[in-house]
């Protein structure tokens, strides 16, 4: 599977580099056009399709990802297992599986849809804005991680109590709690009551 970093450009058939395009949507998630990735995140932001993945181990611990310091948006912060944007016309499920493999070197097991959430989160450090119609997915990770250092600074599996402690003392992405809270019903169904989510 080819690696396609989120900040990379696509090369067209004539050898020129094309900008990464995102799918613009209306408030109901219906596609209305495309925009260049960075332009879509410039204030006030353009509403676009995104995805967020939450993977858990056999003990019901959530896999967190610390975003690499070299990322142009929200570098160095902790966030959910994987997040990103489908290419125009790419199914969110396929994009979620693709990016999880590209960033973490694992293919999720039992990956399932967990609803959608729409939000508007400015990032105070970068000045960029997350205006997203976000498709949520939950699943299991059952093989060793092989993170791409250009995408991932660190990883950690956490219980709900460990997450609360980290969240109180560390820096997390502006969207993290919004997407986690929206995904909680599916997370509880996947992990069971004993995991405490």
């Amino acid at each position: 599977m080819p690696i396609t970093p989120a900040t990379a450009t696509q090369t067209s058939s004539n050898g020129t580099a094309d900008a990464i395009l995102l799918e613009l949507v209306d408030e109901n998630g219906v596609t209305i056009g495309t925009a260049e990735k960075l332009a879509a995140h410039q204030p006030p932001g353009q509403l676009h399709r995104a995805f967020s993945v939450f993977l858990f181990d056999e003990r019901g611990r959530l896999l967190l990802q610390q975003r690499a310091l070299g990322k142009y948006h929200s570098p160095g912060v902790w966030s959910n297992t994987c997040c990103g944007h489908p290419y125009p016309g790419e199914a969110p499920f396929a994009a979620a599986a693709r990016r999880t493999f590209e960033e973490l070197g694992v293919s999720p097991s039992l990956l399932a849809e967990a609803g959608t959430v729409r939000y508007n989160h400015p990032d105070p450090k970068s000045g960029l804005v997350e205006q997203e119609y976000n498709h949520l997915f939950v699943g299991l990770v059952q093989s060793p991680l092989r993170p791409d250092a250009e995408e991932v600074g660190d990883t950690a599996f956490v219980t709900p109590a460990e997450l609360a402690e980290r969240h109180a003392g560390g820096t997390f992405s502006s969207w993290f709690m919004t997407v986690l809270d929206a995904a909680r019903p599916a997370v509880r169904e996947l992990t069971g009551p004993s995991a405490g989510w």
Side-chain angles (χ1 to χ4, degrees):
M1 178 176 290
I3 302 300
T4 52
T7 54
T9 54
Q10 297 168 319
T11 302
S12 66
S13 58
N14 65 7
T16 61
D18 296 327
I20 295 288
L21 295 178
L22 305 185
E23 203 168 79
L24 299 180
V25 299
D26 66 15
E27 293 293 337
N28 297 310
V30 176
T31 302
I32 58 172
T34 60
E36 190 277 324
K37 183 178 180 182
L38 188 56
H41 290 89
Q42 298 288 344
Q46 295 175 290
L47 184 59
H48 58 275
R49 194 175 310 284
F51 64 83
S52 289
V53 177
F54 297 85
L55 297 184
F56 297 82
D57 67 8
E58 70 284 348
R59 294 166 48 190
R61 298 179 304 167
L62 171 61
L63 174 58
L64 295 177
Q65 174 189 141
Q66 184 182 36
R67 295 166 63 84
L69 291 174
K71 293 181 87 73
Y72 78 95
H73 189 355
S74 302
V77 302
W78 288 91
S79 198
N80 48 292
T81 307
C82 180
C83 52
H85 309 92
Y87 294 129
E90 182 182 26
F93 184 93
R98 171 180 58 80
R99 283 302 292 164
T100 301
F101 181 81
E102 289 173 354
E103 291 185 9
L104 295 161
V106 294
S107 295
S109 303
L110 302 176
L111 191 65
E113 294 182 13
T116 59
V117 62
R118 190 259 195 255
Y119 53 80
N120 176 359
H121 287 300
D123 177 34
K125 288 188 178 177
S126 69
L128 300 176
V129 178
E130 290 287 5
Q131 280 264 28
E132 294 189 331
Y133 187 92
N134 198 309
H135 297 257
L136 308 172
F137 298 93
V138 299
L140 301 175
V141 57
Q142 297 179 308
S143 56
L145 302 177
R146 298 186 316 277
D148 177 350
E150 290 188 13
E151 298 287 342
V152 181
D154 199 0
T155 59
F157 285 96
V158 296
T159 65
E162 291 166 342
L163 174 60
E165 186 177 331
R166 278 176 175 262
H167 195 263
T171 305
F172 277 73
S173 65
S174 59
W175 62 87
F176 175 72
M177 286 308 297
T178 300
V179 292
L180 176 59
D181 287 344
R184 278 186 198 273
V187 168
R188 291 182 185 122
E189 186 176 331
L190 176 72
T191 61
S194 62
W197 293 101

